[in-house]
Amino acid sequence: MSSHNASELPILCSSGQLLLQPLWDRLRAQEALTQSPLFAVLFSITTYVGFCLPFVVLDVLCPWVPALRRYKIHPDFSPTARQLLPCLGQTLYQHVVLVLPLTLLHWARGPAPWPREAPELLQLARHVVGCLLLFDAEFFAWHVLHHKVPWLYRTFHKMHHQNAASFALATQYMSAWELFSLGFFDMVNVTLLQCHPLTVLVFHVLNIWLSVEDHSGYDFPWSTHRLVPFGWYGGVAHHDLHHSQFNCNFAPYFTHWDKILGTLRSAHAK
């Protein structure tokens, strides 16, 4: 009986990975790229800019397409080139002078070999949600601290608030310390949960998308906060209220920490 169960175990395990295994095999086949020290920088920049570009196009079209204005948090605002280009330049500069050197230091220790097996779908989902919840708690504490202590705000966080009305490319318009802190939280969380490399990639993509969406200035019927029930997720209007009032809605994504601290302020969707 025991030998029969042992023979079935690999089959049961592999059946839970069938959905993700082809994707994982394709990524492993690109090992020359994925194990390169440049991969993390290229992956981060291309994902971020790729998510920002559709909103940049919408901002360009908005003055000539009145139907888009109904979905804008600030219908009369469109970022100018003088606002967009410094934000993009700041992102590229910091990835070259900060992210790339840190990636090279990590790579010099020797890249960790990737496992042959893909993660199970439920395990991937649990770890991604866990990483998001941990990141939400960590950045909430960091964010409150950097608003409550004037020196920290002036020195490290004020830069992110220079644009009163948010737009997509302003998502990563921040100081080097703030960018380093966000990256540190990411690395700690995936290490703490012992995430599969595919899970790490999925988490980073989702984390970048949620950040860009929160700063995009557009509240669509399919926005994330409309898909998560019971008001658990704040969303773009929720975060825009933080940028306009400064003393509320400190959590980047979820609402429970602001409820506990008493800093949650409702942003009624249009």
Side-chain angles (χ1 to χ4, degrees), residues 158-174:
K158 184 178 180 180
M159 182 178 186
H160 185 63
H161 280 276
Q162 285 187 4
N163 297 289
S166 293
F167 50 93
L169 278 174
T171 304
Q172 291 188 5
Y173 191 65
M174 58 182 65

Side-chain angles (χ1 to χ4, degrees), residues 35 111-115 197:
Q35 296 295 321
W114 279 7

Side-chain angles (χ1 to χ4, degrees), residues 61-207:
L61 294 176
C62 197
W64 290 277
V65 184
L68 290 174
R69 294 165 61 90
R70 62 184 295 192
Y71 301 113
K72 281 184 70 71
I73 303 296
H74 302 282
D76 297 325
F77 169 76
S78 290
T80 65
R82 288 189 175 184
Q83 292 172 298
L84 294 170
L85 293 178
C87 291
L88 179 59
Q90 179 75 1
T91 297
L92 298 176
Y93 172 77
Q94 290 189 338
H95 275 76
V96 171
V97 302
L98 178 64
V99 179
L100 180 58
L102 292 175
T103 304
L104 290 174
L105 286 175
H106 179 74
W107 180 83
R109 298 170 51 192
W114 279 7
R116 295 178 60 87
E117 297 80 16
E120 292 190 359
L121 183 60
L122 288 179
Q123 180 195 54
L124 182 146
R126 286 197 304 268
H127 281 172
V128 168
V129 172
C131 285
L132 285 175
L133 289 171
L134 285 172
F135 178 84
D136 194 70
E138 293 155 351
F139 185 70
F140 174 80
W142 187 100
H143 202 184
V144 170
L145 182 66
H146 283 69
H147 270 270
K148 299 300 183 182
V149 179
W151 180 81
L152 290 176
Y153 178 80
R154 291 193 307 268
T155 308
F156 299 116
H157 190 53
K158 184 178 180 180
M159 182 178 186
H160 185 63
H161 280 276
Q162 285 187 4
N163 297 289
S166 293
F167 50 93
L169 278 174
T171 304
Q172 291 188 5
Y173 191 65
M174 58 182 65
S175 67
W177 168 246
E178 184 165 353
L179 182 65
F180 173 82
S181 300
L182 301 185
F184 177 76
F185 296 150
D186 283 354
M187 293 300 298
V188 166
N189 295 339
V190 298
T191 303
L192 183 65
L193 297 181
Q194 298 182 338
C195 294
H196 189 280
L198 181 59
T199 305
V200 175
L201 293 177
V202 172
F203 165 63
H204 285 325
V205 170
L206 182 59
N207 199 23

